[in-house]
Amino acid sequence: MKSTQGKKDLMKKRIVAIACAAALMLALPTLAWAAPSPSNNGTATGDNGVSAVVKAGSGTIESVASTSAKASNVPAGTDIVASFEVKGDATNVDLTFNVGAKYAGYAYTVYVQHTDGTTETLTGTVAADGTIAIHVDKLSIFSIAIGAAGSTANANTGSTSPQTGVDLGTVAGATVVTAIAAGAVFVALRKKVTE
């Protein structure tokens, strides 16, 4: 009789051990879950340490690269701090250029030459963190010129943080399952102690 009771106790201990191991296993992945990088982003570093971050609202970005070519609408004699060429079929594109905090408050002009040959000129003031944020509807060559400090150019609205796309539903589900498993183990052990 004792041997049958001993086998039952051993089986209960094994079940509790398996439940504890499963709870631990379910708790581990919550630290590693992260959103994948969006496929419609691109970055590059160009002349004078200027960097570009490109995010498309739709479509794809094939490449972002520093280039020696200037947009066709850059006036003769204009000093360009950096030029970038962005290729792909993306539309609704947000670009952030980091020219450095040393240019905070300076006027900027971004000369844009679209792949269809049309051009546009965007102006503003470099943000306090040294960034220039612009929005265009299609991909192009972007040539950046920095003017004088304290100019009356339109104020820059600054850059925005990218959306990470993190889905916390999976983490919450794993937490609930882990809590239920821990509760079951607690009840089983408590019941064993009272027997």
Side-chain angles (χ1 to χ4, degrees):
M1 187 94 164
K2 284 188 178 181
S3 108
T4 305
Q5 184 61 35
K7 287 181 182 180
K8 287 182 181 178
D9 288 343
L10 182 60
M11 184 57 77
K12 286 181 183 178
K13 287 180 183 180
R14 287 181 182 168
I15 292 172
V16 169
I18 291 171
C20 288
L24 287 173
M25 183 180 70
L26 289 173
L28 288 176
T30 60
L31 298 176
W33 291 332
S37 297
S39 60
N40 60 345
N41 284 358
T43 60
T45 301
D47 296 337
N48 302 312
V50 176
S51 63
V53 176
V54 184
K55 182 179 179 185
S58 61
T60 57
I61 295 172
E62 293 173 12
S63 66
V64 179
S66 175
T67 180
S68 59
K70 295 179 183 176
S72 62
N73 59 337
V74 174
T78 303
D79 289 328
I80 298 298
V81 294
S83 281
F84 295 92
E85 184 173 10
V86 185
K87 294 181 180 179
D89 64 359
T91 57
N92 194 22
V93 182
D94 290 311
L95 297 98
T96 303
F97 302 105
N98 190 335
V99 295
K102 65 183 176 183
Y103 290 115
Y106 281 59
Y108 71 79
T109 303
V110 179
Y111 299 96
V112 184
Q113 175 186 336
H114 298 295
T115 53
D116 62 7
T118 60
T119 61
E120 63 180 301
T121 304
L122 305 167
T123 60
T125 304
V126 178
D129 62 355
T131 58
I132 296 170
I134 64 171
H135 178 85
V136 294
D137 292 325
K138 48 193 166 184
L139 299 183
S140 321
I141 293 177
F142 302 90
S143 298
I144 306 162
I146 303 293
S151 95
T152 58
N154 295 330
N156 183 20
T157 57
S159 60
T160 57
S161 298
Q163 183 177 2
T164 61
V166 173
D167 178 15
L168 295 179
T170 310
V171 174
T175 303
V176 168
V177 170
T178 304
I180 291 170
V185 169
F186 175 79
V187 169
L189 290 175
R190 186 75 177 154
K191 188 174 181 182
K192 176 66 178 166
V193 168
T194 58
E195 287 181 355

